[in-house]
Amino acid sequence: MGNISGMKAVRVYTGEDGASHFEDIEIELHDRGASGSISDLWAGKGVMFREVGGDYALDFHTAPRRQFVINLKGEVEIEVGDGTIRRLGAGDILLAEDTTGQGHISRAVDEKPRTCLFIPLEEAQ
């Protein structure tokens, strides 16, 4: 049956310049028949849930670990080193890999709270 589709995510990573950058990625999904389409296993370390208020704003900071951040409710604005800003809403997936360098800025949108899910990942192979 093979690969049939992918799931979109936004990756934040540290470039050779030491600054964070965005990359649009697609997580491959494989047709599993009646079970639907599923990706290969990403080795993780657990799950954390997080809520932040509408005044949430973190200046430049690195990701504390390699992790997926999945927005469940609300929005977040992420700004990288070159000033590019992306707004991620409910259901959006961020792969945070900028664990070194300048990092990124995170801030609330429209002074509204946000709920998200962190999935810490094993180190990339």
Side-chain angles (χ1 to χ4, degrees):
M1 296 194 174
N3 180 308
I4 62 159
S5 64
M7 188 172 290
K8 306 275 187 235
V10 175
R11 176 179 178 237
V12 175
Y13 68 96
T14 305
E16 291 182 15
D17 59 359
S20 293
H21 301 274
F22 287 120
E23 177 185 18
D24 292 317
I25 63 170
E26 188 169 303
I27 299 167
E28 286 187 281
L29 299 179
H30 306 281
D31 186 350
R32 298 289 187 244
S35 298
S37 297
I38 192 164
S39 74
D40 292 334
L41 179 66
W42 292 61
K45 298 179 179 183
V47 175
M48 296 183 290
F49 297 87
R50 178 184 193 194
E51 280 188 340
V52 293
D55 60 348
Y56 171 74
L58 288 179
D59 202 358
F60 279 104
H61 64 285
T62 56
R65 68 196 68 78
R66 183 173 178 255
Q67 63 188 1
F68 278 117
V69 181
I70 294 107
N71 281 331
L72 302 175
K73 182 179 175 183
E75 294 180 296
V76 63
E77 228 176 48
I78 306 288
E79 182 175 341
V80 294
D82 67 2
T84 303
I85 296 173
R86 295 265 187 111
R87 189 176 281 197
L88 304 175
D92 287 334
I93 302 168
L94 176 73
L95 175 56
E97 293 186 309
D98 62 335
T99 58
T100 62
Q102 179 186 30
H104 61 275
I105 296 172
S106 302
R107 62 178 77 89
V109 175
D110 297 330
E111 299 179 0
K112 293 182 180 173
R114 177 179 135 233
T115 303
C116 61
L117 178 69
F118 290 155
I119 305 171
L121 298 169
E122 299 292 338
E123 291 305 312
Q125 299 159 351

